[in-house]
Amino acid sequence: MTIGVLLQKKFNFQLTPIVKLITYCFMPAAVFLNIYQAEFDYGLLGQLLLYLFLFTCSTILLGNFLSKLLNLKRQESAALKNSISLMNSGNYGLPVSQLIFSANPLGVSIQIIMIVFQNLLTYTYGLYNLVSASKSAVDILKAIFRLPIVHALLFGIIFQFFDIPLPNFALVPLEQLANAFFALALFLLGAQLAHINIKSFHSVIVWSILGRLVVGPVFAFLIIFILGIDGVMAQSLLIASSFPTSRNTATIALDNQVAPELHAQIVLYSTVLSGITVTIVIYVAMILF
């Protein structure tokens, strides 16, 4: 990420083609390959889906409660709600999970399910918060089904479930693309942060950071404890709950001109501070589970 910031300051890359390259090439390869190679315990899938439902509801309720408590304006309220419930599971979370669970594909596979779920949440709940009056349900569904990672996930599940072998001429390039994703994703994140200008500091940023980086992992731990989840699955879910605010919140806010600077600053601060908080959560997760 630091290399991304420094090189972006020096060379001022056009980031849109890199974003499209990651979205349409590198990330789908990583998603497909990790699902294809994972050893799933399908009995845990129902438990995982229940966790996702409870965790998402708790973060959404927290965002709505804080918005009403602070008596925020509509645009500020949308920024706070999205920043707490939408996490950077893609170009932040997946490389982190790959690093931690390199010897255990299940941990990475759980993170991939989180990525797909978070993307669905972004283009439904997140988009609704920003432009509920101007986007129809059909438009939102079209946006979801255009996501390449959704197609990659479906193909990965099909190939994994029916145990379809991949020949080396397909497997080797996919592995190379998947390996390239992790470095390029973090580089891109740093390059995107280099563009954010800090002109003022809004109190919403503080509440967003507390909700995303502190309260989020606390909610996750309580739900994991209540559901009796243990082992690698518990580690992966707790760590995934600690990731910073999704960069997509700033992207869709800019596209729809809903407090784009506030969204961008929340992404910047939460990403920088997550270097501390995510490290602590990883350490705690490894001790507890």
Side-chain angles (χ1 to χ4, degrees):
M1 282 174 58
T2 302
I3 293 172
V5 171
L6 295 175
L7 291 184
Q8 181 62 19
K9 292 287 188 181
K10 182 174 177 61
F11 297 110
N12 194 27
F13 297 114
Q14 293 294 320
L15 297 184
T16 301
I18 302 177
V19 171
K20 291 187 181 298
L21 192 62
I22 288 177
T23 303
Y24 287 89
C25 182
F26 291 104
M27 186 184 288
V31 167
F32 171 82
L33 200 62
N34 278 281
I35 292 295
Y36 172 71
Q37 294 178 335
E39 296 182 3
F40 272 117
D41 181 352
Y42 289 97
L44 297 176
L45 189 59
Q47 201 174 28
L48 174 59
L49 293 176
L50 179 59
Y51 165 86
L52 289 174
F53 174 76
L54 294 175
F55 179 74
T56 302
C57 287
S58 64
T59 55
I60 288 174
L61 289 172
L62 175 63
N64 280 272
F65 171 75
L66 289 176
S67 296
K68 292 181 179 179
L69 181 67
L70 300 171
N71 195 26
L72 298 177
K73 298 176 182 178
R74 190 186 71 83
Q75 294 194 354
E76 297 170 346
S77 174
L80 180 63
K81 291 175 184 177
N82 283 352
S83 65
I84 292 176
S85 59
L86 303 179
M87 302 175 291
N88 194 345
S89 299
N91 62 346
Y92 186 110
L94 191 53
V96 170
S97 294
Q98 180 72 10
L99 175 67
I100 299 167
F101 300 108
S102 57
N104 196 323
L106 177 61
V108 180
S109 300
I110 289 171
Q111 181 58 37
I112 286 172
I113 294 172
M114 294 287 289
I115 292 173
V116 175
F117 183 82
Q118 279 289 313
N119 273 275
L120 297 177
L121 191 66
T122 298
Y123 290 97
T124 51
Y125 173 75
L127 198 57
Y128 173 81
N129 280 333
L130 295 174
V131 289
S132 55
S134 59
K135 291 280 185 180
S136 67
V138 174
D139 291 333
I140 292 175
L141 285 174
K142 285 180 179 178
I144 292 172
F145 286 111
R146 281 198 296 265
L147 294 173
I149 61 167
V150 173
H151 306 154
L153 175 72
L154 292 175
F155 278 110
I157 291 172
I158 291 170
F159 274 67
Q160 211 264 4
F161 185 77
F162 291 103
D163 197 20
I164 302 172
L166 275 178
N168 279 339
F169 71 81
L171 183 61
V172 171
L174 279 172
E175 288 176 340
Q176 292 171 336
L177 289 172
N179 291 335
F181 162 75
F182 303 110
L184 190 58
L186 290 176
F187 174 89
L188 175 64
L189 183 57
Q192 289 174 317
L193 295 178
H195 281 297
I196 298 175
N197 295 317
I198 302 174
K199 297 179 180 179
S200 60
F201 189 87
H202 200 292
S203 61
V204 169
I205 298 172
V206 177
W207 291 104
S208 297
I209 291 171
L210 288 174
R212 174 84 301 279
L213 300 181
V214 179
V215 182
V218 172
F219 281 169
F221 172 76
L222 292 175
I223 296 169
I224 289 169
F225 178 76
I226 291 170
L227 296 181
I229 302 173
D230 201 2
V232 173
M233 184 174 176
Q235 291 174 345
S236 183
L237 291 176
L238 183 58
I239 293 168
S241 73
S242 68
F243 295 144
T245 298
S246 171
R247 62 177 177 82
N248 287 335
T249 60
T251 302
I252 61 177
L254 181 61
D255 289 341
N256 296 281
Q257 286 301 302
V258 179
E261 289 188 4
L262 177 58
H263 281 85
Q265 287 187 45
I266 290 172
V267 171
L268 171 62
Y269 284 110
S270 68
T271 302
V272 171
L273 291 174
S274 69
I276 300 170
T277 57
V278 171
T279 302
I280 294 171
V281 172
I282 292 170
Y283 180 73
V284 171
M286 295 305 173
I287 291 176
L288 293 179
F289 305 109

